């Protein structure tokens, strides 16, 4: 028999992919939806248009919970890990997202709660190109700016490269 699941819509976890990737049950979340062993072999031999007899179908209704909010300290740690900013600039980046209204800092633990504007911005950028919301893009820009500051690259070259990349994404 062949059993398998396919997630058609990851829902909230698609919005907060970074939080899902760092979740304690990340591996389980992805592994429980993967065919393995003889079932995988059977799935590989299936040709387009092949017909199978369905033995049973189960429908479950589950409720998901949003990922735990990051504290300001945890956000700074993640920024350092992803090489976004320098020790001097990271607090400024965090302040900017608060000042611009993308997140609110809540409580004595300083939890960073995304605002409707912040979530809408992420959705909009993902609709244009999902890469725009990935830490690697910001890290690459930070690296390019550092190279200009150290005299290894010309400012005009870095700006032209960035404009070219973003122009392609927004066509």
């Amino acid at each position: 028999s062949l059993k398998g699941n396919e997630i058609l819509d990851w829902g909230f976890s698609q919005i907060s992919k970074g939080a899902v990737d760092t979740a304690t049950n990340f591996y389980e979340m992805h592994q429980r939806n993967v065919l393995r062993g003889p079932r995988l072999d059977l799935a590989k031999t299936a040709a387009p248009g092949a017909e199978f007899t369905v033995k049973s179908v189960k429908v479950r209704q589950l409720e998901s919970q949003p990922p735990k909010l990051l504290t300001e300290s945890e956000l700074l740690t993640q920024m350092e890990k992803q090489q976004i900013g320098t020790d001097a600039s990271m607090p400024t980046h965090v302040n900017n997202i608060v000042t611009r209204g993308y997140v609110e800092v809540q409580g004595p633990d300083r939890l960073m709660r995304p605002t409707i504007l912040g979530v809408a911005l992420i959705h909009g950028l993902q609709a244009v190109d999902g890469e725009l919301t990935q830490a690697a893009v910001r890290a690459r820009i930070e690296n390019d700016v550092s190279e200009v500051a150290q005299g290894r690259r010309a400012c005009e070259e870095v700006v032209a490269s960035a404009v070219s990349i973003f122009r392609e994404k927004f066509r």
Side-chain angles (χ1 to χ4, degrees):
S1 75
L2 178 64
K3 292 181 183 177
N5 301 325
E6 182 179 357
I7 297 198
L8 300 177
D9 185 353
W10 274 95
F12 191 85
S13 63
Q14 184 66 27
I15 298 166
S16 303
K17 181 140 180 37
V20 170
D21 289 347
T22 59
T24 55
N25 65 341
F26 166 76
Y27 183 77
E28 293 170 23
M29 287 172 58
H30 290 276
Q31 290 303 305
R32 69 176 164 217
N33 297 300
V34 176
L35 292 172
R36 291 182 219 70
R39 292 179 178 147
L40 177 59
D41 294 337
L42 180 59
K44 286 180 180 178
T45 62
E51 293 185 15
F52 297 91
T53 303
V54 177
K55 232 164 99 171
S56 69
V57 175
K58 295 177 185 173
V59 177
R60 298 183 304 162
Q61 182 172 336
L62 304 172
E63 292 184 19
S64 63
Q65 295 293 318
K68 175 183 147 303
L69 296 176
L70 293 175
T71 64
E72 187 173 9
S73 173
E74 290 167 334
L75 176 58
L76 290 166
T77 299
Q78 285 297 315
M79 290 174 70
E80 183 177 10
K81 182 178 173 185
Q82 300 290 331
Q83 298 178 331
I84 299 173
T86 63
D87 288 345
S89 69
M90 287 189 298
T92 302
H93 295 319
V94 172
N95 184 60
N96 285 342
I97 63 173
V98 173
T99 302
R100 293 174 184 165
Y102 303 139
V103 298
E104 298 172 339
V105 180
Q106 296 185 329
D109 293 337
R110 300 193 56 78
L111 295 173
M112 307 294 287
R113 178 175 297 284
T115 63
I116 293 171
L117 176 62
V119 172
L121 176 64
I122 294 298
H123 280 245
L125 290 171
Q126 285 178 335
V128 171
D129 185 331
E131 186 183 45
L132 292 172
T133 61
Q134 300 301 309
V137 172
R138 182 61 187 240
R140 184 175 61 236
I141 292 169
E142 294 280 345
N143 185 57
D144 290 349
V145 169
S146 292
E147 288 187 347
V148 169
Q150 294 167 2
R152 291 193 287 226
R153 290 182 68 188
C155 179
E156 296 78 15
E157 173 194 349
V158 169
V159 170
S161 173
V163 167
S164 173
I165 290 168
F166 283 92
R167 197 170 267 143
E168 283 299 313
K169 290 183 181 302
F170 285 93
R171 281 187 188 222

